[in-house]
Each structure stands twice: as C-alpha cells, then as structure tokens.
Amino acid sequence: ALQKWVNREISNFDYLIQLNTMAGRTYNDLAQYPVFPWILRDYTSEELDLNNPAVFRDLSKPIGVVNEKNAKAVKEKYNFEDPLGIIDKFHYGTHYSNAAGVMHYLLRVEPFTTLHIQLQSGRFDCADRQFHSITATWQALMDNPNDVKELIPEFFYFPEFLENQNGFNLGQLQISKEVVNDVVLPRWAHSPEDFIYKHRKALESEYVSAHLHEWIDLIFGYKQRGPAAVEALNVFY
C-alpha cells in the first residue's frame, strides 16, 4: 500500500482508508472510527486557492497546537506532576478521535441522531455545543487547546451529513438566536456537494500529497509514543 501510494497509483484518500483499516479502525465501532486530518485552514475566503500553501493546515503538528498560541498551555499541562504518581504525563486530556466526536459530526443522520440523543439522556444537546458551522468548528479548535478533534472520512465524500434532511429541531444559538439547521459552510462552498468536491480536491492536492506523511507519523507512526511524541507535543491521556 505504501509503495502504491508513493508511486501515486492510489489516492491520498484510499491510502488513509487502508491505514485506518490496518490500524484496526472501523465504521462498526464508534470508539475506533476511521480518523482523517483537518487539511485546510482557510474557511473564510470567497475562493479557495489550492495553489497557495497558506490555505492549508500545518500537517506536521497535532491539531491542538496548529495555533502556536496553544503550545505554551499544552507544554504546561505536560509539566504538571501527578502528586500521587499514578497518572502518566500528557499534553491532552481528550482525544483526536472518540465516539462523542463522531456523533457530533454525524448528528443529522441516523443512526447517529438516535445515538446522540441516548448519550444526552434522551434529548438533543444544547444548540451552542452542536456541530452547526464548519468555520466556527475550526475557529473553536484554534482558540481552545482542549478541543483536538480531527475529521472523519465523511467530510470527503458524504454531502448529506451536512444537511438536516430529516428536519430535526436542533434548537437555536443563545447569543445570535440563529436556528441550527443545515451546517453553515465556508464562503467558498456553494452547496454541500460543492464543499465535498473542493475538500476532496484539497486532500488530493500537491501540497497535501507532499506533507501527508507528517500527519501520518503523528497518528499511525513513530510520533505516537515515547520521546518523539513528547517532542512533537503529541502525548494523550
């Protein structure tokens, strides 16, 4: 698989799916769901210029420190010593892939809607905590070193998860009073299909092809544990 990928006989998408499968990740287990990277950082421009490296996320860093400002807080957390000596040191108390995160993204499609409601004791979570805007979700990641959710494969092929086709009443945001309905897309995407098309194109772009291995090192490779993980600010609880 690696050789085929290097020779460009399979796409970046296919290679990531194969890596996830070999790592024991599967669509049948929300706690081990396939994980994909955030690849863009530009969610505000009218046009998405895939020839400009500045529109892409830095794939060599864990999502929690893509914003340099968060690195200090993350290092401080790691340097905290557990007085009882029971808990190993860590940079992040949450994880880049977990069941709640999968349900968060797939809230609008079954069976994830029902699973979400069960998780929230029989009702939808408060509107402000729901996945309502791709731009706002990215901004929250940049502002908060405790939010380290990466993406799921659906962001690259499944436009329906961005639409509230079942007409669920997801409430309204507290401050703006905006009703949560379809996911609000970046300005450069004119429809859910257009978002998926451009996002998939970004995944297969020259920039991502040249840097994807850096993210793979963090998630599937040698920077998961040990000194390399510490140095990369990539140690999870």
Side-chain angles (χ1 to χ4, degrees):
L2 172 66
Q3 210 46 58
K4 277 187 169 171
W5 179 57
V6 170
N7 296 343
R8 303 203 172 190
E9 291 165 22
I10 58 174
S11 65
N12 293 337
F13 181 89
D14 285 336
Y15 185 53
L16 285 172
I17 285 287
Q18 291 196 30
L19 277 179
N20 272 285
T21 304
M22 289 174 217
R25 290 183 169 273
T26 165
Y27 287 104
N28 299 325
D29 182 354
L30 289 182
Q32 291 290 339
Y33 207 77
V35 58
F36 267 57
W38 283 92
I39 52 169
L40 295 171
R41 61 162 47 160
D42 179 358
Y43 295 97
T44 51
S45 300
E46 295 285 346
E47 294 291 326
L48 182 64
D49 177 8
L50 295 179
N51 295 317
N52 177 7
V55 307
F56 294 98
R57 164 235 176 137
D58 182 346
L59 287 159
S60 69
K61 293 181 177 151
I63 195 70
V65 290
V66 165
N67 183 348
E68 283 290 338
K69 290 209 298 277
N70 294 338
K72 185 167 176 274
V74 164
K75 284 177 185 160
E76 280 172 2
K77 187 180 285 183
Y78 185 81
N79 290 328
F80 173 76
E81 290 280 355
D82 174 21
L84 299 173
I86 299 168
I87 298 172
D88 290 336
K89 293 170 142 199
F90 59 88
H91 291 119
Y92 312 101
T94 56
H95 201 249
Y96 52 77
S97 167
N98 57 39
V102 176
M103 287 184 254
H104 176 77
Y105 288 138
L106 295 176
L107 169 74
R108 290 163 179 77
V109 287
E110 290 289 14
F112 304 96
T113 313
T114 299
L115 291 166
H116 167 90
I117 290 169
Q118 286 170 356
L119 182 72
Q120 299 297 335
S121 313
R123 57 187 170 71
F124 284 111
D125 194 8
C126 106
D128 287 75
R129 282 203 294 268
Q130 285 169 13
F131 176 46
H132 67 90
S133 153
I134 291 172
T135 310
T137 302
W138 173 255
Q139 200 47 53
L141 285 175
M142 291 301 95
D143 296 340
N144 178 5
N146 298 317
D147 188 354
V148 293
K149 279 193 294 295
E150 289 280 11
L151 297 183
I152 52 176
E154 282 81 354
F155 275 82
F156 299 93
Y157 66 81
F158 185 50
E160 287 79 7
F161 88 102
L162 298 165
E163 300 173 282
N164 186 14
Q165 291 186 354
N166 294 314
F168 294 123
N169 178 4
L170 302 173
Q172 56 184 169
L173 305 180
Q174 281 176 340
I175 296 172
S176 67
K177 299 294 179 224
E178 181 190 342
V179 173
V180 176
N181 192 23
D182 293 349
V183 176
V184 180
L185 303 170
R187 285 160 65 186
W188 45 257
H190 308 300
S191 67
E193 290 76 13
D194 188 44
F195 170 81
I196 296 290
Y197 170 73
K198 286 174 179 165
H199 202 217
R200 180 71 169 261
K201 206 169 164 184
L203 178 65
E204 303 301 341
S205 69
E206 198 52 49
Y207 179 90
V208 174
S209 298
H211 293 276
L212 187 57
H213 66 280
E214 299 173 49
W215 182 83
I216 289 169
D217 287 341
L218 294 167
I219 307 294
F220 299 105
Y222 76 105
K223 291 184 178 175
Q224 290 178 78
R225 297 217 170 100
V230 177
E231 195 180 333
L233 305 182
N234 195 40
V235 180
F236 292 84
Y237 175 67

